[in-house]
Amino acid sequence: QVQLVESGGGLVQPGGSLRLSCAASGSIFRINDMGWYRQAPGRERELVATITPGGSTKYADCAKGRFTISRDNAKKTVYLQLNSLKTEDTAVYSCNAYIGYETYWGQGTQVTVSS
């Protein structure tokens, strides 16, 4: 059984930084694309960034220039570096991974940006 577990969320002041991690475990031969999404209260879940096994990345407009997605294939882990955080970045951040023919999701980690 595949599991994704996020960590690294928390409370941070505007302008601050956080680094989120998402580790995959279980019977995994190869992880294809991985990504980060977020959902703010009262809003739909939105894509933040994705990364291929080779390291090619794509970012949503909300993330460009401030967030960086990366991965360590050996550790089966994807990261999201959040810089210059704004109050509107407050949301539950979830990772996903495309493994085999299935998409798996983590449980999410709360990021709150507030002074």
Side-chain angles (χ1 to χ4, degrees):
Q1 185 176 358
V2 174
Q3 284 191 316
L4 300 180
V5 179
E6 299 101 334
S7 60
L11 174 64
V12 62
Q13 292 186 341
S17 298
L18 285 173
R19 189 190 193 208
L20 308 183
S21 300
C22 171
S25 63
S27 179
I28 301 172
F29 174 68
R30 183 176 186 270
I31 303 177
N32 297 308
D33 289 4
M34 304 183 81
W36 285 95
Y37 291 72
R38 69 184 186 183
Q39 186 168 21
R43 301 188 65 177
E44 293 187 354
R45 184 168 61 192
E46 64 175 350
L47 171 70
V48 177
T50 62
I51 186 167
T52 68
S56 296
T57 58
K58 291 184 180 179
Y59 294 92
D61 287 344
C62 64
K64 290 179 181 177
R66 299 188 300 128
F67 300 170
T68 303
I69 189 171
S70 61
R71 65 190 282 171
D72 184 327
N73 291 329
K75 293 183 178 179
K76 299 176 184 175
T77 299
V78 62
Y79 305 96
L80 186 66
Q81 178 68 41
L82 308 171
N83 295 329
S84 302
L85 282 162
K86 307 174 182 179
T87 56
E88 53 263 42
D89 294 318
T90 295
V92 175
Y93 285 71
S94 301
C95 67
N96 77 349
Y98 186 55
I99 302 171
Y101 298 101
E102 301 285 337
T103 299
Y104 296 89
W105 289 89
Q107 82 288 351
T109 185
Q110 177 70 46
V111 171
T112 302
V113 185
S114 175
S115 56

